[in-house]
């Protein structure tokens, strides 16, 4: 009997290490994602909030890079470790539910082969942290419901508090659990002083960010408004539902087994509230036109339940089906692995995606603008950045030392500004200015230079402010989302440029002053 727990921990450890090694092997194949450059820039400007995200991701980046540096490998280790820790929590949930070796194998493998988790754990973004906090929260829910020890409310509220500091979408599983628990006999758990204590502690945890939001006129509302108008408007119900399948396709049977087990099996009745969370969450996000990956964090707990259910119903002569399911999951992920991890070169990936399109799965190539492209958007967002930074650097170095002292750099979006900052961080080149994302908050109030290196494909504004606007270079990488983006050298500012800059900064920042309206 004493050997079984050791064997299960060996299985958990093997899957966790396998997840970590898999991501390490491919971590340097592509450049960092555009969003990673923003979060690394955020990390250099500590704050209790940023325009599009709460502070936790930049906080982690700040201290991680102090210890391990800024290399692509080091940065990508962060989400890789999150994936490995997620495996450990899934295994712990299985153990909590009384599962043994086969249940642990099926649950951990389901997470490992799910395309969405392979993708999210290869990108330094709040998404991987968000899924982890959801998983950690559902583990606390399992403990609460199984033991009815109301002190677990305290852990749950603390987890959700830190999850809130990572991504505001943590409110979705919180709402879903509250509604789901209200639908069961265990609703009596709400009558607990520990829930009150937990709510108070959770509020204390998130209070600094709420105060920051208040003092900056709720940037989250501004961001969500922009997101709704530019991206969520393109979300179609059919695409949302189809992507729920594609995100976990190799593990779909394990998920369905877990979902129906929790909702229908009498032995799983104590956990019925968690079962209700899935349809409630889906309904919430459909009504709010949420992106498909917003549901990602809810799946791992059902992998754990699925491992329990499958081993429960495949005893005796059906035990062979467990091995068959393992083989099936591995066989299903192998053809789709290039869509999940950057294992192919860009030319090979374009060829692969042509096959995907011919097979009628072009939804996998649909970008946030609602159109289909030759590459997945995340992949197109992971190249071209070093080329851009090199063009800016060579343009800067072409100037005399005297002109360099009066030269600034402007980039139109946070990806460009973040990449220029990242690749030139050890050089004398000035930090780029941008009015996009949180770069707006730390842009200088005024400029006094006479030369500007300008990164944008639209020069209509800048030509009104400078007498000399010369094309210095453009991104030629055909696979980059920023393909064709131009870099200009602007000289001889027209009288009034300084005022134009000051007025624009004031106008844009005024949106984040209390009392203003978007």
């Amino acid at each position: 009997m004493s050997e079984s727990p050791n064997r299960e921990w060996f299985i958990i450890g093997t899957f966790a290490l396998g997840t970590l090694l898999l991501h390490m092997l491919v971590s340097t194949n592509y450049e960092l994602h555009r969003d990673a450059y923003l979060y690394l820039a955020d990390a250099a400007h500590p704050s209790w909030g940023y325009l599009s995200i709460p502070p936790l991701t930049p906080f982690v980046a700040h201290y991680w890079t102090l210890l391990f540096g800024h290399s692509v490998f080091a940065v990508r280790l962060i989400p890789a470790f999150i994936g490995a820790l997620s495996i450990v929590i899934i295994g712990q949930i299985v153990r909590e539910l009384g599962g043994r070796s086969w249940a642990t194998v099926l649950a951990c493998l389901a997470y490992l082969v799910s395309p969405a988790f392979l993708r999210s754990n290869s990108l330094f973004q709040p998404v991987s942290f968000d899924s982890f906090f959801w998983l950690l929260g559902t583990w606390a829910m399992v403990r609460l419901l199984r033991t009815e020890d109301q002190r677990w409310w305290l852990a749950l509220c603390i987890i959700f508090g830190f999850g809130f500091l990572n991504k505001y979408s943590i409110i979705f599983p919180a709402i879903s659990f509250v509604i789901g628990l209200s639908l069961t006999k265990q609703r009596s758990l709400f009558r607990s002083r520990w829930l009150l204590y937990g709510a108070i502690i959770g509020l204390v945890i998130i209070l600094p960010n709420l105060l920051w939001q208040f003092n900056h006129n709720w940037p989250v509302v501004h961001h969500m408004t922009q997101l709704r108008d530019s991206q969520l408007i393109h979300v179609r119900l059919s695409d949302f539902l189809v992507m729920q399948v594609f995100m976990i396709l190799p593990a779909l049977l394990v998920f369905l087994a877990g979902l129906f087990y929790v909702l229908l099996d009498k032995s799983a009745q104590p956990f019925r509230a968690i079962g209700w969370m899935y349809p409630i969450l889906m309904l919430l996000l459909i009504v709010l036109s949420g992106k498909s990956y917003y549901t990602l964090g809810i799946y791992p707990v059902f992998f754990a339940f699925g491992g329990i259910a499958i081993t429960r119903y495949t005893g005796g002569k059906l035990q062979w089906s467990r091995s068959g399911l393992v083989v099936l999951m591995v066989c299903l992920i192998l053809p789709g692995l290039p869509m999940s991890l950057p294992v192919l070169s860009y030319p090979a990936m374009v060829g692969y995606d042509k096959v995907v399109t011919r097979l009628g799965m072009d939804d996998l190539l649909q970008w946030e603008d609602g159109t289909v492209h030759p590459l997945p958007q995340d992949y197109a967002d992971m190249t071209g950045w070093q080329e851009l930074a090199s063009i800016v650097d060579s343009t800067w170095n072409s100037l005399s030392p005297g002109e360099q002292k009066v030269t600034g750099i402007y980039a139109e979006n946070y990806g460009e500004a973040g990449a220029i900052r990242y690749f030139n961080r050890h050089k004398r080149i000035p930090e780029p200015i941008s009015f996009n994302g949180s770069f707006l908050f730390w842009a200088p109030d005024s400029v006094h230079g006479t030369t500007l290196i300008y990164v944008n494909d639209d020069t209509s504004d800048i030509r009104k402010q400078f007498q000399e606007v010369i094309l210095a270079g453009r991104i030629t990488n055909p696979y980059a989302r920023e393909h064709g983006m131009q870099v200009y050298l602007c000289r001889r500012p027209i009288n009034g440029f300084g005022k134009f800059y000051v007025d624009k900064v004031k106008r844009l920042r005024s949106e984040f002053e209390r009392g203003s309206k978007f």
Side-chain angles (χ1 to χ4, degrees):
M1 293 295 291
S2 61
E3 292 181 0
S4 181
N6 292 334
R7 185 166 58 247
E8 290 150 20
W9 277 116
F10 175 77
I11 293 169
I12 295 168
T14 300
F15 275 102
L17 182 61
T19 298
L20 184 61
L21 291 176
L22 180 62
H23 285 287
M24 290 171 65
L25 287 172
V26 301
S27 63
T28 58
N29 287 359
Y30 291 2
E31 297 173 26
L32 292 175
H33 190 279
R34 75 160 58 230
D35 292 350
Y37 296 118
L38 171 63
Y39 305 139
L40 291 172
D42 287 342
H45 299 82
S47 174
W48 276 108
Y50 300 91
L51 193 146
S52 59
I53 60 169
L56 192 138
T57 301
F59 176 86
V60 172
H62 177 75
Y63 287 100
W64 184 273
T65 53
L66 282 178
L67 293 173
F68 303 106
H70 291 76
S71 70
V72 174
F73 181 80
V75 173
R76 285 222 168 98
L77 269 182
I78 303 174
F81 271 119
I82 293 297
L85 286 174
S86 297
I87 291 283
V88 174
I89 300 302
I90 291 170
Q92 181 59 32
I93 294 175
V94 172
R95 286 170 51 81
E96 185 70 31
L97 296 172
R100 298 300 184 187
S101 298
W102 266 111
T104 305
V105 168
L106 293 172
C108 293
L109 182 62
Y111 180 89
L112 178 58
V113 300
S114 292
F117 293 111
L118 286 170
R119 176 79 70 87
S120 64
N121 291 327
S122 68
L123 302 173
F124 178 58
Q125 296 178 348
V127 177
S128 57
F129 292 98
D130 190 44
S131 298
F132 177 72
F133 280 115
W134 285 40
L135 174 59
L136 205 58
T138 52
W139 171 66
M141 293 173 194
V142 168
R143 291 285 296 169
L144 172 67
L145 297 174
R146 189 185 72 80
T147 66
E148 295 198 348
D149 183 346
Q150 298 182 7
R151 289 174 295 183
W152 279 99
W153 277 120
L154 199 63
L156 185 58
C157 291
I158 291 172
I159 291 167
F160 278 178
F162 282 105
F164 186 90
L165 292 182
N166 171 72
K167 208 169 188 292
Y168 301 120
S169 59
I170 197 73
I171 64 173
F172 292 129
I175 293 172
S176 300
F177 182 62
V178 168
I179 297 175
L181 188 59
S182 300
L183 298 175
T184 71
K185 295 179 180 179
Q186 289 173 296
R187 67 179 70 91
S188 60
L189 289 171
F190 285 128
R191 297 192 294 270
S192 169
R193 69 179 187 276
W194 292 103
L195 175 56
L196 177 61
Y197 298 157
I200 293 172
I201 294 174
L203 180 60
V204 170
I205 292 172
I206 69 174
L207 186 59
N209 177 253
L210 293 179
L211 291 174
W212 183 91
Q213 286 283 343
F214 174 75
N215 288 330
H216 290 81
N217 196 34
W218 302 101
V220 63
V221 178
H222 179 274
H223 176 67
M224 291 306 300
T225 301
Q226 286 187 326
L227 193 66
R228 181 197 63 206
D229 295 341
S230 63
Q231 297 180 28
L232 300 185
I233 193 173
H234 301 297
V235 175
R236 295 181 299 182
L237 176 59
S238 59
D239 295 336
F240 177 86
L241 296 176
V242 167
M243 286 306 298
Q244 299 308 308
V245 175
F246 276 121
M247 287 195 305
I248 60 163
L249 181 60
L252 184 61
L253 291 179
V254 179
F255 161 69
L256 291 175
L259 178 63
F260 288 116
Y261 171 69
V262 178
L263 286 175
L264 302 176
D265 196 293
K266 289 184 178 180
S267 65
Q269 190 169 5
F271 309 105
R272 198 78 81 220
I274 296 177
W276 282 117
M277 285 178 66
Y278 186 76
I280 293 167
L281 179 67
M282 290 287 287
L283 182 61
L284 278 174
L285 292 175
I286 289 171
V287 170
L288 296 173
S289 298
K291 295 183 181 181
S292 57
Y293 71 84
Y294 288 2
T295 64
L296 195 54
I298 197 64
Y299 288 104
V301 69
F302 289 105
F303 293 159
F305 281 114
I308 296 293
I310 291 170
T311 53
R312 182 184 179 89
Y313 299 128
T314 57
K317 294 181 180 180
L318 291 177
Q319 285 193 24
W320 64 269
S321 62
R322 302 171 185 175
S323 300
L325 183 55
V326 167
V327 173
L328 177 63
M329 284 195 283
V330 173
C331 289
L332 284 174
I333 189 53
L334 289 178
L337 191 61
M339 292 295 294
S340 309
L341 287 174
V343 295
L344 297 180
S345 66
Y346 275 98
M349 191 64 197
V350 170
Y352 174 90
D353 289 335
K354 289 180 180 178
V355 176
V356 169
T357 301
R358 285 199 296 268
L359 292 174
M361 295 185 291
D362 52 2
D363 283 348
L364 299 175
L365 302 173
Q366 181 174 296
W367 290 11
E368 59 193 18
D369 61 4
T371 60
V372 174
H373 294 261
L375 284 168
Q377 179 172 305
D378 282 338
Y379 286 11
D381 272 330
M382 290 192 282
T383 190
W385 304 113
Q386 189 166 6
E387 181 185 5
L388 171 63
S390 178
I391 295 170
V392 171
D393 181 47
S394 61
T395 304
W396 164 266
N397 286 317
S398 70
L399 306 176
S400 67
E403 190 171 14
Q404 287 178 349
K405 293 179 181 179
V406 293
T407 298
I409 300 170
Y410 173 85
E412 183 64 16
N413 66 57
Y414 67 74
E416 298 158 358
I420 293 167
R421 177 192 172 279
Y422 175 84
F423 286 106
N424 296 308
R425 64 190 181 278
H426 297 310
K427 302 175 183 178
R428 292 174 47 248
I429 188 169
E431 182 163 321
I433 299 169
S434 180
F435 300 145
N436 184 235
S438 295
F439 275 89
L440 173 64
F441 292 147
W442 56 75
D445 295 331
S446 60
V447 292
H448 305 286
T450 58
T451 304
L452 182 67
I453 298 174
Y454 183 74
V455 182
N456 197 357
D457 53 8
D458 181 1
T459 61
S460 56
D461 277 345
I462 207 65
R463 289 187 184 278
K464 298 175 184 177
Q465 304 302 324
F466 286 85
Q467 299 179 51
E468 183 180 320
V469 179
I470 303 170
L471 179 64
R474 58 162 52 91
I475 296 178
T476 60
N477 186 326
Y479 309 109
R481 186 178 175 188
E482 301 281 325
H483 172 68
M485 181 58 63
Q486 298 158 339
V487 179
Y488 292 90
L489 182 60
C490 308
R491 290 187 172 111
R492 300 165 59 199
I494 297 171
N495 290 336
F497 171 66
K499 185 177 184 303
F500 167 80
Y501 176 90
V502 169
D503 290 345
K504 186 164 186 176
V505 170
K506 285 184 177 179
R507 176 173 56 82
L508 293 175
R509 283 182 177 163
S510 68
E511 297 179 349
F512 305 103
E513 297 174 355
R514 278 189 293 166
S516 68
K517 295 182 179 180
F518 298 130

